[in-house]
Amino acid sequence: MSVEISASGEVADRLAAVGALRRLADRLEDAAVEEAMRSGWGWPQVAEALGVTRQAVYKKHAKRLIAAGVALRRRLG
Amino acid sequence: MSSFDHYLQRILIAAAAEARAEGSATTEAHHVLLAIAGDGSPSLAAAGLDHAAVAAALDREFARSLAAAGVRVDGGLPRATPLSDGSPQLGATAKAALERGFALVQRKRDCRPGHVLLGVLLAPVGTVPRALELAGVDRAGLAEDVRREIAGGGDDR
């Protein structure tokens, strides 16, 4: 993945880019959090690495990862 | 429930499955379009838009929109395990598409499957029109086909 910021172009393209970047960020987050939890990270570390609260990361990912059979470390705090 | 209600329920369930598979927390208009294509629509099929073709068009739109911000995804995205159950909420673009489709009829009992598709196709801006444009689809012509299909009674599923 390569990134070069371009602020030019049609406004419709730039608006669409915002939506696409949000979707991309969500997909990257889902995959990265799953990978981290599968390799033994705890919720506090994942949360700090993402720059969000533990509650936020737990609420967003716990159900999916439990259903996916990921062995989660006990939630601390 | 009317046959239209059954159709709508089937499409929204399929659309929610598309959203889940994509890891999306909401069902959006492009998921509804994928669901309609997967369910089989004569007008979409006549335009060469089966499920795979719609999915390919949406992938291109995604890549194109990222490119507008200077982001290029090489070799695909990392995959996450999708949520296995639970229904994503109906998102803003899917709601708008349904409202647009329902607004085309006077009475609710006049709703046909084609109206759902029309609501999706007639979006003035957004992911669906961008994807169809990139795929070289004549959206106005396609919408006309859908209207003819509804008027001809070939849409009484």
Side-chain angles (χ1 to χ4, degrees):
Chain A
M1 197 166 80
S2 70
V3 180
E4 355 163 336
I5 299 303
S6 119
S8 59
E10 295 284 327
V11 70
D13 286 334
R14 298 210 300 280
L15 289 169
V18 174
L21 286 169
R22 287 202 180 109
R23 282 163 61 196
L24 177 64
D26 278 341
R27 289 173 68 163
L28 291 177
E29 179 178 327
D30 285 354
V33 170
E34 180 171 345
E35 194 183 339
M37 297 305 285
R38 280 189 193 280
S39 48
W41 285 47
W43 292 114
Q45 291 99 320
V46 170
E48 194 154 10
L50 284 174
V52 299
T53 64
R54 275 172 287 177
Q55 288 81 1
V57 75
Y58 186 86
K59 189 177 171 205
K60 192 165 174 187
H61 297 284
K63 192 179 166 202
R64 178 175 65 89
L65 297 183
I66 289 165
V70 179
L72 303 178
R73 282 170 56 179
R74 203 172 149 272
R75 189 183 170 203
L76 305 169
Chain B
M1 283 209 299
S2 70
S3 64
F4 174 76
D5 291 334
H6 283 290
Y7 172 81
L8 182 60
Q9 190 182 41
R10 184 168 83 236
I11 290 301
L12 291 181
I13 289 170
E18 297 282 358
R20 268 202 312 274
E22 198 189 280
S24 171
T26 51
T27 298
E28 299 295 344
H30 67 277
H31 301 127
V32 178
L33 182 62
L34 281 167
I36 294 172
D39 191 69
S41 150
S43 301
L44 284 183
L49 291 170
D50 59 8
H51 185 276
V54 172
L58 289 169
D59 282 349
R60 278 187 66 196
E61 192 281 332
F62 187 50
R64 173 71 164 267
S65 294
L66 288 175
V71 176
R72 208 175 68 227
V73 177
D74 297 324
L77 294 170
R79 296 201 59 86
T81 308
L83 194 61
S84 56
D85 59 357
S87 245
Q89 298 282 307
L90 210 54
T93 59
K95 275 183 193 158
L98 292 179
E99 280 163 16
R100 205 160 29 235
F102 297 157
L104 297 168
V105 296
Q106 301 279 336
R107 298 160 305 182
K108 187 177 173 286
R109 69 169 182 272
D110 294 332
C111 272
R112 295 291 176 272
H115 292 115
V116 182
L117 178 53
L118 276 177
V120 174
L121 291 177
L122 295 177
V125 293
T127 303
V128 168
R130 286 171 61 84
L132 294 180
E133 191 189 334
L134 277 174
V137 174
D138 167 18
R139 209 153 51 90
L142 177 55
E144 265 318 297
D145 283 349
V146 179
R147 286 200 167 94
R148 268 195 296 273
E149 191 188 323
I150 296 169
D155 198 26
D156 289 334
R157 275 168 282 167

